[in-house]
Amino acid sequence: MYRTSGATTEAAVDWLNQHAHPINTSDPHTDDPHTESDDLHPLSDAVAGAEIVALGVGSRATHELSVLQHRMLRLLVEEQGFRSLVLEGDDPARLGLDAYVLTGAGDPEAMLSEARSFWRTGEILDVLRWMRAHNERNPRDPVQLAALPTQSAPPGVGLAEIERALADDAIRWHERTRQKTVYWGGITHTAVGEPRTVSSPAPQTHRNAGGHLREHFGNGYASIGLTFHHGTDYPVPPAEFAEAVLGTVDLPAYFLDLRAQHPAPVDAYLGAPARTRVVGPFYDAREDAAHHLSGGSLAEWFDAVAHVREVTPARFLKGPRGR
């Protein structure tokens, strides 16, 4: 069901190798206001006219994907005028992080120790410190964290309702601030799902936050998917996964605009039913194939893809009371 013909896949591989734009996953120089971003300039073209750009990752726990999110955020802020960041999954105001970014008050590492586990990384800390440094340089034109009090859903709320709430939070923030906004989250939430299916812990099919945001903003919502092939904690993907084909490009990392015109066989591949890996709280590497997003195609889910061949673990901080 999720396999395309050999000729279609071969055409897609040829097209990928011709159009993949090399990018790097080196740590951004957080103390340098002029970090080189030439390799990310195709991102600017891919998000032209967008009010909300979603950077959705296949795993929140990898160093390389987090660094790419950070580098993309910097480009969008410094060169495209974005001024708000939605950090999906918790409320920055509850932790005091929104005030830290704007005023420098408090210790961001201590604040992150009380956050949801996937925020407690050195990579997120680097983002917060960069935002603070940016605001020190630009006090009259700051970038800010969106304060979203409904990010922590109460018990008993269904996943479909959570997805609606995630989108509504972002919409209300944009309506209140009128700021171009970066949405930093997981691929299951940011892909344009009209609807989409998440496989674990049990299959659930419904419209997700990305679907609601596309409905509200139209082309003003841009979905960027950050995927990977394999890594320290992850095996090579199954042959029927999109990452298996994306991984045929002989580059450590690359960017691909999916909105460009394609030959008919490539259109057929990008528009075919797809599966892509999802690493969530129930992920088990021994059953890698069981954890995926389905119910759509690459062309439906994403406006562009940034793909990394090999990933390593994020730098996890200690949790509350030394955990």
Side-chain angles (χ1 to χ4, degrees):
M1 176 180 178
Y2 290 94
R3 293 182 183 272
T4 53
S5 72
T8 297
T9 301
E10 183 177 349
V13 169
D14 289 342
W15 180 81
L16 284 169
N17 278 278
Q18 293 171 18
H19 292 85
H21 180 85
I23 55 178
N24 74 67
T25 58
S26 301
D27 286 307
H29 302 294
T30 55
D31 57 348
D32 179 359
H34 304 295
T35 298
E36 292 294 330
S37 59
D38 287 350
D39 63 320
L40 287 180
H41 281 168
L43 172 64
S44 296
D45 296 333
V47 303
E51 290 295 313
I52 292 190
V53 172
L55 307 177
V57 291
S59 170
R60 302 176 195 258
T62 74
H63 173 72
E64 289 76 11
L65 296 186
S66 296
V67 166
L68 264 184
Q69 283 178 300
H70 185 168
R71 294 192 65 231
M72 290 177 175
L73 169 67
R74 291 187 64 151
L75 178 139
L76 292 170
V77 169
E78 294 173 343
E79 301 186 20
Q80 298 297 317
F82 283 72
R83 289 296 179 267
S84 284
L85 173 63
V86 172
L87 263 181
E88 180 189 86
D90 210 329
D91 178 18
R94 175 183 75 83
L95 303 166
L97 290 169
D98 58 338
Y100 164 76
V101 165
L102 288 174
T103 70
D107 178 355
E109 185 169 357
M111 295 173 192
L112 284 177
S113 74
E114 302 294 334
R116 296 280 296 277
S117 60
F118 49 80
W119 279 22
R120 297 199 301 263
T121 69
E123 289 80 7
I124 293 289
L125 182 60
D126 287 345
V127 169
L128 297 170
R129 286 175 170 163
W130 172 77
M131 292 176 73
R132 178 62 202 141
H134 172 89
N135 289 344
E136 288 174 343
R137 295 189 298 269
N138 303 277
R140 296 185 180 181
D141 188 22
V143 61
Q144 60 183 320
L145 284 169
L148 305 176
T150 65
Q151 285 276 303
S152 300
V157 174
L159 291 181
E161 289 78 13
I162 291 173
E163 296 291 338
R164 173 80 258 188
L166 291 173
D168 285 346
D169 278 347
I171 291 167
R172 282 192 294 267
W173 179 263
H174 181 267
E175 289 176 342
R176 178 154 67 88
T177 64
R178 295 300 173 185
Q179 292 180 339
K180 294 167 72 173
T181 299
V182 177
Y183 188 108
W184 176 301
I187 210 169
T188 60
H189 307 297
T190 62
V192 179
E194 295 280 16
R196 58 89 176 101
T197 299
V198 178
S199 63
S200 61
Q204 294 206 36
T205 302
H206 47 256
R207 177 183 284 181
N208 69 343
H212 291 297
L213 290 169
R214 176 58 58 82
E215 179 185 47
H216 183 86
F217 289 100
N219 290 334
Y221 175 72
S223 169
I224 312 299
L226 283 76
T227 61
F228 68 97
H229 188 263
H230 67 278
T232 305
D233 299 316
Y234 311 109
V236 169
E240 67 271 21
F241 276 37
E243 289 89 342
V245 173
L246 294 172
T248 61
V249 177
D250 189 21
L251 291 171
Y254 65 88
F255 186 85
L256 191 70
D257 190 338
L258 300 185
R259 303 175 310 161
Q261 290 187 337
H262 318 113
V266 178
D267 275 335
Y269 175 79
L270 295 177
R275 289 187 178 183
T276 188
R277 175 190 277 135
V278 170
V279 178
F282 303 100
Y283 178 77
D284 183 345
R286 297 168 297 182
E287 300 180 0
D288 182 68
H291 303 275
H292 57 264
L293 185 72
S294 63
S297 68
L298 290 178
E300 293 167 339
W301 289 334
F302 311 120
D303 297 296
V305 169
H307 184 76
V308 176
R309 176 181 294 279
E310 184 173 3
V311 295
T312 57
R315 309 189 317 271
F316 286 98
L317 307 172
K318 292 182 179 180
R321 293 176 296 280
R323 289 203 302 269

